[in-house]
Amino acid sequence: MSELNPCMTCGACCAYFRVSFYWAEADDAGGCVPASQTEPLTPFLRCMRGTNNRQSRCTALVGDIGDGVSCSIYENRPSPCREFAMSGENGVENDACNRARAHYGLPPLYKDMPFHTGLDAATLASSELQSPPN
Ligand code: SF4
Ligand code: SF4
């Protein structure tokens, strides 16, 4: 991963969306996501602990949002996190990424920004990322 990867100084999506996924992704059901970092959502879904709160923040997120962050279970993170694309990655802008960033006062990322030319396969994002309950 490039040292210039903006995700490393962001983390907004890990503290903005509800991160839900099929329950069997957890390691007590044959998957890899540490079950202790999850909580039940429905009979078929779990979410990352902390992301179903009004003030969402995944308990696996380490560091300060907008400064320096990392995922403590990066190798075992659930599918929504693997699929979520940083805005601008591979020439595709992601409104969800920029919405989360805006929530924390961070500027949007566009596809023509210079750091995107130095990125390998990126980091976090989305099919099952949802806004937490109000
Ligand atoms: S994917 Fe977007 S919101 Fe998530 S950490 Fe990276 S830059 Fe921030
Ligand atoms: S990437 Fe890691 S810290 Fe971020 S939401 Fe997913 S599991 Fe949590």
Side-chain angles (χ1 to χ4, degrees):
M1 187 185 305
S2 166
E3 291 181 4
L4 298 175
N5 187 337
C7 292
M8 298 175 73
T9 54
C10 179
C13 56
C14 307
Y16 184 72
F17 298 106
R18 183 172 66 202
V19 182
S20 61
F21 45 89
Y22 186 55
W23 68 277
E25 285 193 41
D27 62 5
D28 60 354
C32 66
V33 182
S36 61
Q37 295 274 13
T38 74
E39 56 188 48
L41 189 61
T42 74
F44 302 104
L45 294 175
R46 293 184 185 181
C47 64
M48 290 308 298
R49 187 173 295 281
T51 68
N52 196 32
N53 298 342
R54 188 185 190 109
Q55 183 75 46
S56 171
R57 177 170 171 137
C58 178
T59 53
L61 183 67
V62 176
D64 297 320
I65 295 165
D67 186 10
V69 293
S70 63
C71 172
S72 63
I73 60 161
Y74 187 77
E75 296 301 324
N76 297 313
R77 67 201 188 285
S79 56
C81 307
R82 296 174 182 276
E83 294 161 6
F84 195 86
M86 175 177 56
S87 184
E89 181 189 1
N90 297 325
V92 179
E93 291 172 9
N94 180 357
D95 287 344
C97 165
N98 284 334
R99 198 163 63 247
R101 288 176 59 84
H103 181 74
Y104 288 97
L106 298 169
L109 302 176
Y110 300 113
K111 61 184 177 185
D112 54 355
M113 293 179 129
F115 50 75
H116 286 305
T117 60
L119 287 173
D120 49 21
T123 322
L124 315 166
S126 96
S127 61
E128 296 297 331
L129 298 182
Q130 304 155 13
S131 297
N134 293 318

